[in-house]
Amino acid sequence: MFIVVNPSQDNVAVSCVDLPQGAVCVVGDKKIKVNQAIRKGERFALTHIPNGAHVIQYGWPFGIAQGIQSGDLIHTGNVRELESDLSAPVIVAPPVMPNQEPWISRTFAGFLRSDGRVGVRNHYVIVPTSQCASHVALQVAAQANARLRPELHFPNVDSIVALTNTEGCGCASNMQIDRFLRVLRNHLHHPNVGAALIIDLGCEQTNYQALHDNLRVHGPMPGIPMDWLTIQKEGGVTNTINKALAILEQRLAIVNAAVRTDHPVRHLLIGTECGASDSFSGITANPVIGSAVDKIIAAGGGAILSEVPEMLGAERALMSRMRNENVVADFRNMMTWYRELASRLGVDMTDNLVPENKAGGLINACIKSLGAITKGGTTTIEGIVDYGERPLKPGLHLSQGPGNDLESVTGLAASGATMICFSTGKGTITGQAIVPVIKITSTSSLFRAMPFDMDYDAGILLENPAWNLERMGNALFERILAIASGQKTSAELNGQQQFQIWTAGKLSL
């Protein structure tokens, strides 16, 4: 009927059903009479919360009470916003060392690359170096899929996909170009990529020479078949497409020669994302993802928690889990950078809380963030990485990134995430060009409403008392291994292969 997330500290509960005025809820040895009608997903007070006292969920405050009585509905009229203070001192907790058994011995069937990395997919990617070459790349992919029929003739090739984009020229030669090249470079270096064809127009800022130099400066070239075509040098669009198709016909046989073999879970890096959240996203889907992430990390793998706007108001909860003061300082710098950009652009970061979120019971950005960060599980935060930058060691990392779903999942893929766990409360269809995206629903009703778009029903936590968080996390861990071994996600079956880069200077919420 209702859920108390942290029974030892929370002073509010979340209703799992519509409660009429006067309904009586039993919490331990207390009976609480509901003073107003409470809709499913809304919060009500478990005790009298005096004026000026903290309103608490997840064991952390998310607002300041304006005189709330036991049984009262929690709403924007009786809860003031809680100001976050990045400068306040933080006590860094001792590192959390997860129990490695039985996860350390588990394996999945993946594709071993020449540099020792292991992919969960085997894609042939066509990479246009700018918007100028993007439509040609799209034409090549479409014609190659139609003529060569990889699903019939090359069963070990997961897809031929073009990374079409709107970047690469007509902009300042600064952070925007650097970020774009980083994202392209790290998609080319991604373990889910078996071969690549790079196409440039020839005169753009990010032409062959620029990307080639960027690849060379930042380490060895990818150990995969990689070909280049320049539209202006090939004599135009038709010649480029014809030459590209001839290249693909030769290369696909090489990519198809790769076979799946068993590898330890430590080769997995899980990106975490949420979109179209409701009041139960932070109660079911996000914590279930966090439970599975803890198991991946226990096995020696890693995870990335991104979406800076989804951390607003939850900064202290995150900082208390960081490895050391250096990580705390990097986190403060990341949050400050985002806030300063918002200030320069005249954008309110709390606009990340959209009307659909509020309608679902999330009354402010802080409660949304406290629920969102549960995707990162409970282990120590090892470090902070930039958008599209790769973590240098296992464990949990935070990433500079936007709340925008498409831009965020592209950044996670560029950061090396081999898979993405994506929670949703309202339903979203987002996929990613080269990384399988697992959709986890917050409620069973959403899972039933969109059965061909969703992969895992975390709403069982609300409907079946036999399923607790640990059991749900175990089951999601098993699903992750199955998908890593080749089982297709709904987004993949539906052809959702989004690729959208977060343009530098744009504030995406």
Side-chain angles (χ1 to χ4, degrees):
M1 192 163 69
F2 62 90
I3 289 178
V4 183
V5 178
N6 188 327
S8 65
Q9 299 183 58
D10 292 358
N11 54 17
V12 302
V14 180
S15 178
C16 299
V17 297
D18 290 337
L19 294 174
Q21 182 178 0
V24 176
C25 299
V26 179
V27 182
D29 58 356
K30 292 172 54 179
K31 292 184 177 180
I32 299 171
K33 185 178 180 180
V34 173
N35 300 325
Q36 302 93 15
I38 309 289
R39 293 182 301 173
K40 180 179 179 180
E42 292 183 327
R43 290 159 178 77
F44 62 93
L46 296 173
T47 185
H48 170 60
I49 310 175
N51 186 47
H54 284 150
V55 187
I56 300 170
Q57 192 173 339
Y58 303 99
W60 291 90
F62 67 89
I64 300 172
Q66 294 186 292
I68 301 173
Q69 300 302 314
S70 176
D72 277 359
L73 170 69
I74 302 296
H75 56 88
T76 55
N78 60 12
V79 176
R80 298 201 315 272
E81 292 282 347
L82 186 68
E83 293 292 332
S84 60
D85 184 5
L86 279 171
S87 63
V90 175
I91 299 175
V92 178
V96 175
M97 304 301 292
N99 178 24
Q100 292 188 319
E101 296 298 335
W103 322 112
I104 192 71
S105 61
R106 299 300 304 278
T107 62
F108 69 97
F111 296 98
L112 178 64
R113 303 304 181 191
S114 60
D115 59 1
R117 295 172 304 141
V118 179
V120 304
R121 294 293 183 267
N122 192 32
H123 295 290
Y124 188 106
V125 296
I126 303 168
V127 181
T129 70
S130 66
Q131 75 269 44
C132 311
S134 282
H135 192 70
V136 172
L138 189 63
Q139 289 174 289
V140 171
Q143 293 190 34
N145 280 304
R147 293 187 193 181
L148 303 178
R149 301 295 298 276
E151 70 278 9
L152 295 179
H153 305 297
F154 304 99
N156 292 334
V157 178
D158 284 287
S159 78
I160 301 170
V161 59
L163 306 186
T164 56
N165 61 78
T166 59
E167 307 297 310
C169 207
C171 61
S173 300
N174 51 23
M175 182 180 175
Q176 186 165 336
I177 294 296
D178 293 340
R179 179 182 289 177
F180 176 53
L181 290 174
R182 181 198 306 151
V183 170
L184 292 190
R185 178 180 76 242
N186 284 343
H187 273 73
L188 286 165
H189 278 283
H190 200 285
N192 288 357
V193 172
L197 170 63
I198 303 170
I199 301 177
D200 69 315
L201 176 61
C203 60
E204 66 267 67
Q205 292 188 64
T206 52
N207 58 12
Y208 164 85
Q209 194 63 53
L211 181 55
H212 185 275
D213 290 347
N214 190 276
L215 286 165
R216 179 176 49 80
V217 167
H218 288 87
M221 300 287 271
I224 59 171
M226 190 169 63
D227 299 285
W228 304 72
L229 291 175
T230 297
I231 298 169
Q232 291 168 347
K233 289 183 179 179
E234 298 301 331
V237 169
T238 300
N239 287 348
T240 302
I241 293 174
N242 289 337
K243 190 165 184 177
L245 292 172
I247 290 171
L248 262 75
E249 193 164 8
Q250 294 178 341
R251 292 300 195 190
L252 284 178
I254 298 173
V255 179
N256 190 62
V259 295
R260 290 184 180 272
T261 53
D262 288 341
H263 301 278
V265 171
R266 62 181 171 82
H267 288 284
L268 295 180
L269 177 60
I270 307 298
T272 65
E273 180 73 14
C274 55
S277 300
D278 69 354
S279 191
F280 293 108
S281 294
I283 305 295
T284 59
N286 291 342
V288 167
I289 292 173
S291 177
V293 159
D294 281 349
K295 295 164 179 51
I296 296 291
I297 291 173
I304 304 172
L305 177 66
S306 189
E307 301 177 280
V308 169
E310 306 278 0
M311 301 175 191
L312 187 69
E315 295 95 338
R316 294 188 63 77
L318 289 168
M319 289 190 289
S320 69
R321 295 170 50 193
M322 293 180 179
R323 170 64 67 179
N324 52 45
E325 291 294 338
N326 291 334
V327 181
V328 172
D330 289 343
F331 175 73
R332 284 176 170 146
N333 289 337
M334 177 178 76
M335 298 299 293
T336 299
W337 181 91
Y338 214 102
R339 290 183 179 193
E340 288 177 350
L341 178 60
S343 178
R344 289 198 302 272
L345 297 176
V347 175
D348 185 350
M349 281 180 64
T350 61
D351 284 344
N352 172 262
L353 188 73
V354 299
E356 282 295 310
N357 294 152
K358 296 176 183 178
L362 299 173
I363 68 166
N364 61 29
C366 185
I367 190 61
K368 183 181 180 184
S369 294
L370 288 170
I373 66 172
T374 61
K375 300 192 302 295
T378 61
T379 62
T380 298
I381 297 169
E382 301 291 345
I384 312 296
V385 296
D386 200 356
Y387 181 81
E389 182 184 18
R390 294 193 166 169
L392 298 179
K393 58 183 177 180
L396 178 64
H397 287 73
L398 306 186
S399 171
Q400 169 70 284
N404 180 292
D405 297 348
L406 274 62
E407 295 169 341
S408 183
V409 297
T410 297
L412 289 169
S415 290
T418 44
M419 308 175 71
I420 294 172
C421 287
F422 192 126
S423 73
T424 184
K426 297 290 186 179
T428 180
I429 59 173
T430 302
Q432 210 280 330
I434 63 170
V435 174
V437 177
I438 308 172
K439 292 294 175 46
I440 297 102
T441 66
S442 65
T443 62
S444 296
S445 59
L446 172 59
F447 190 82
R448 290 189 293 266
M450 300 179 69
F452 302 111
D453 298 278
M454 303 295 131
D455 298 293
Y456 190 84
D457 179 14
I460 293 173
L461 274 175
L462 303 176
E463 299 191 359
N464 190 336
W467 285 78
N468 58 22
L469 181 60
E470 182 68 12
R471 184 178 175 187
M472 293 294 296
N474 291 348
L476 179 56
F477 177 86
E478 298 298 336
R479 181 66 65 84
I480 289 171
L481 295 195
I483 290 170
S485 299
Q487 184 183 102
K488 298 295 186 183
T489 66
S490 294
E492 289 178 296
L493 292 172
N494 291 331
Q496 298 298 310
Q497 295 181 311
Q498 283 83 352
F499 179 83
Q500 182 171 319
I501 297 171
W502 179 33
T503 301
K506 172 189 175 188
L507 188 76
S508 290
L509 299 176

